Amino acid sequence: MVRPPFAAERGHSALIASTDARVISQVTESLVAMGVAVVHHTPDAASLHRLVRAEPAGFLALVDLAMIGPHAVNLVWNLRGAGWHRVLAVVSRHDLAARTQVVAAGVDGVLVRPHVPQSGGDWMTRALNGELPASDLTEREIEVMRLVASGHTNTEIAKALGLSPLTVKSHLERIGRKVGVGERAAMVLRLLRQGVIW
């Protein structure tokens, strides 16, 4: 089971920016079950900006890119600047460009909306509870790939995980063999698409 990035942080406020009723209901239900005290909903970009200015920053902001559109990167920077601890993005399975942009902008994770509504109807709940498919990557390999997806170099990853840069390189070579691609960006995109990292 992959640990969600906010599993130990409970009792704080969260923000859900989406017009998708399914996203709102599933995320709200999961957050309330985890003990989140306040869940804010914003149905459009204007109300999102008002809420970010008026309310103190919380621990999690989940932003559906279908609502935000081309301003998603600026929004991620603004949420970070306002002090939101974790920022997650919900993207379409087919929108590779948006996924790449928000990962580069510094989101903590990406939840990929399935292209077939019936498939895995509880995908959001499973993602928030850490029940993502773990493929055959080890927990350490998943940690390495999350840092790669955040734009860290091998040296930075080694320092963050208490490894040598050579060990990180070995992990990346092994991950490449497992997922069938060798380039860092291609590995990140494939694992995001599979829901292994987010």
Side-chain angles (χ1 to χ4, degrees):
M1 182 183 294
V2 180
R3 177 189 176 277
F6 48 87
E9 299 159 2
R10 313 238 193 260
H12 300 288
S13 65
L15 162 64
I16 303 170
S18 180
T19 55
D20 186 326
R22 190 173 73 142
V23 169
I24 292 168
S25 66
Q26 288 185 342
V27 174
T28 300
E29 183 179 316
S30 294
L31 291 172
V32 168
M34 291 168 58
V36 174
V38 179
V39 180
H40 302 286
H41 301 128
T42 60
D44 55 54
S47 63
L48 172 60
H49 291 297
R50 282 194 301 273
L51 188 140
V52 169
R53 284 194 303 270
E55 296 289 332
F59 86 93
L60 171 68
L62 185 136
V63 181
D64 192 337
L65 298 192
M67 183 186 99
I68 303 303
H71 305 293
V73 173
N74 289 339
L75 174 63
V76 171
W77 288 333
N78 290 341
L79 288 166
R80 285 283 188 222
W84 284 86
H85 186 63
R86 300 281 187 202
V87 180
L88 301 180
V90 178
V91 300
S92 164
R93 181 180 184 89
H94 301 292
D95 198 345
L96 298 179
R99 275 188 264 173
T100 304
Q101 288 172 357
V102 294
V103 167
V107 293
D108 294 292
V110 177
L111 303 179
V112 180
R113 181 185 286 109
H115 64 291
V116 181
Q118 300 93 310
S119 68
D122 62 345
W123 67 278
M124 185 69 73
T125 302
R126 289 174 56 240
L128 288 168
N129 288 330
E131 299 166 8
L132 296 173
S135 71
D136 59 348
L137 296 189
T138 66
E139 199 166 316
R140 176 64 81 181
E141 289 168 344
I142 291 169
E143 286 177 320
V144 168
M145 286 310 302
R146 282 186 177 153
L147 291 169
V148 169
S150 297
H152 295 285
T153 65
N154 285 7
T155 303
E156 292 167 341
I157 294 168
K159 186 174 181 181
L161 299 178
L163 305 171
S164 74
L166 189 58
T167 301
V168 172
K169 182 179 177 186
S170 295
H171 277 306
L172 289 172
E173 289 171 355
R174 201 165 30 255
I175 293 165
R177 287 192 297 273
K178 287 181 179 182
V179 300
V181 291
E183 293 184 2
R184 294 166 81 94
M187 284 192 285
V188 168
L189 285 176
R190 182 160 295 182
L191 293 172
L192 284 170
R193 193 176 299 133
Q194 292 173 353
V196 176
I197 61 171
W198 44 282

